[in-house]
Amino acid sequence: MKLGMIGLGRMGANMARRLIQGGHSIVGFDPDPDARKALESDGAQTADSLKALVESLPGPRNVWMMVPAGDITESTVGDLLALLDAGDTLIDGGNSNYKDTVRRAKSLAEHDMHYVDCGTSGGVWGLAEGYSLMIGGEPAPVKALRPVFETLAPATDQGWGHVGPPGAGHFTKMVHNGIEYGMMQAYAEGFAILQHKQEFSLDLHQVAEIWRNGSVVRSWLLDLTARALDENPAMDGIAPWVDDSGEGRWTVAEAIDLDVSAPVITLALLERLRSRDKDSYSDKLLAAMRNQFGGHAIKKE
């Protein structure tokens, strides 16, 4: 297939490369000329504007967006709405909020255009290992895009699926990322306990390697944890600051709306927020409370 790829960052560029390797023809666009040039060296055609990208594709067009969720996605969809024709399909492979996806799909449908949401997991390893694809949309455009999904996935019959109507793909990916928060937090806490048991002088990389084989806690995330512990066992030079890109917050909010108890995911999100507080007022107040009721000493800054 011939496909337009908008957004040639780490994910978008590698997805384009995997598609090229699978025999597809890619036209890429990114506002950064260096990103376009890098993809050209791997066999892609590029365009210096959205208009040029759309004009280079035969109809009915298939255009895939890999841009940050929020305002950038919103503006890109608006720009493309004025450029695409009836029968064209726009795929959002980013981490958009599923409620925005449902709204955008309805907007494009009014112009007889298709909107497919594809929750995409795989990170920087996707080029070599393949991507996990959670796809939402109407059956016809999803079926037409099957060759693309089969190429991006780890195998033609594994790691991808049409999970429901527009919005279902991003909803599924949102919950996927919420689970990821909880798993990461559990691994981090467990290894922190091991690290603090100084009398045993545990080799954390060795422990991770043992757990990777046969253990009930083995996973690809543990594989990556073992890699990190091998490269930097003391975590030297890494600030204790953990960012979040929104999906964990949305998952917690959805759990509340649906009356679903999700304490692990919720606490994992709160721990990320806590990691960013360099001058914790709440901890200072806790120390002051202990001093007030028990006369406990306060540690000075």
Side-chain angles (χ1 to χ4, degrees):
M1 297 183 68
K2 191 166 187 177
L3 182 81
M5 180 67 73
I6 300 171
L8 305 178
R10 285 174 297 180
M11 284 282 284
N14 278 346
M15 291 172 72
R17 292 184 179 102
R18 187 171 174 90
L19 288 168
I20 292 168
Q21 292 171 5
H24 300 279
S25 178
I26 298 297
V27 182
F29 168 73
D30 193 285
D32 181 359
D34 290 336
R36 299 198 300 268
K37 185 176 181 181
L39 193 63
E40 287 174 3
S41 66
D42 289 309
Q45 177 186 347
T46 64
D48 59 6
S49 68
L50 291 178
K51 184 174 185 294
L53 179 141
V54 170
E55 290 176 347
S56 68
L57 297 172
R61 303 175 184 88
N62 295 298
V63 179
W64 191 304
M65 298 185 300
M66 287 302 295
V67 299
D71 292 341
I72 296 178
T73 296
E74 190 73 22
S75 62
T76 303
V77 172
D79 292 341
L80 288 169
L81 188 58
L83 297 170
L84 297 173
D85 296 323
D88 292 346
T89 299
L90 181 56
I91 307 105
D92 182 0
N95 286 323
S96 292
N97 188 301
Y98 81 94
K99 296 178 181 178
D100 291 332
T101 299
V102 172
R103 171 178 54 80
R104 291 168 187 150
K106 290 179 180 178
S107 178
L108 265 71
E110 293 173 358
H111 296 82
D112 294 321
M113 300 174 189
H114 308 295
Y115 198 78
V116 172
D117 52 297
C118 183
T120 307
S121 180
V124 297
W125 294 90
L127 174 58
E129 303 290 336
Y131 298 88
S132 174
L133 307 173
M134 297 142 267
I135 304 154
E138 298 302 326
V142 172
K143 183 178 180 180
L145 288 163
R146 184 183 182 100
V148 171
F149 300 138
E150 290 180 340
T151 302
L152 287 172
T156 58
D157 59 347
Q158 294 178 359
W160 75 277
H162 183 198
V163 298
H170 281 153
F171 181 83
T172 305
K173 177 57 163 49
M174 175 191 75
V175 177
H176 164 283
N177 283 24
I179 294 170
E180 181 182 286
Y181 278 39
M183 292 176 65
M184 292 174 68
Q185 186 67 31
Y187 280 131
E189 291 177 7
F191 279 100
I193 296 169
L194 295 172
Q195 192 269 338
H196 277 76
K197 192 64 172 176
Q198 295 295 313
E199 65 189 86
F200 289 154
S201 300
L202 295 167
D203 181 336
L204 301 190
H205 175 245
Q206 179 196 31
V207 173
E209 289 293 343
I210 293 170
W211 289 353
R212 287 181 62 205
N213 297 281
S215 166
V216 295
V217 300
R218 66 187 184 272
S219 70
W220 185 52
L221 184 56
L222 181 60
D223 294 344
L224 298 179
T225 302
R227 177 188 174 97
L229 289 169
D230 183 37
E231 294 175 349
N232 187 1
M235 299 292 109
D236 291 330
I238 300 177
W241 169 289
V242 187
D243 209 347
D244 76 282
S245 52
E247 296 87 353
R249 299 180 186 224
W250 301 339
T251 304
V252 170
E254 197 69 28
I256 293 170
D257 288 345
L258 296 172
D259 292 329
V260 175
S261 175
V264 172
I265 295 173
T266 301
L267 187 55
L269 171 63
L270 296 180
E271 284 296 311
R272 292 195 179 197
L273 302 182
R274 181 180 177 82
S275 76
R276 304 168 205 172
D277 193 349
K278 300 296 185 181
D279 187 29
S280 175
Y281 182 84
S282 61
D283 287 344
K284 291 180 179 180
L285 185 56
L286 284 170
M289 290 179 193
R290 294 184 75 248
N291 176 260
Q292 288 291 326
F293 68 70
H296 301 289
I298 296 175
K299 184 176 181 180
K300 301 296 184 181
E301 290 185 317

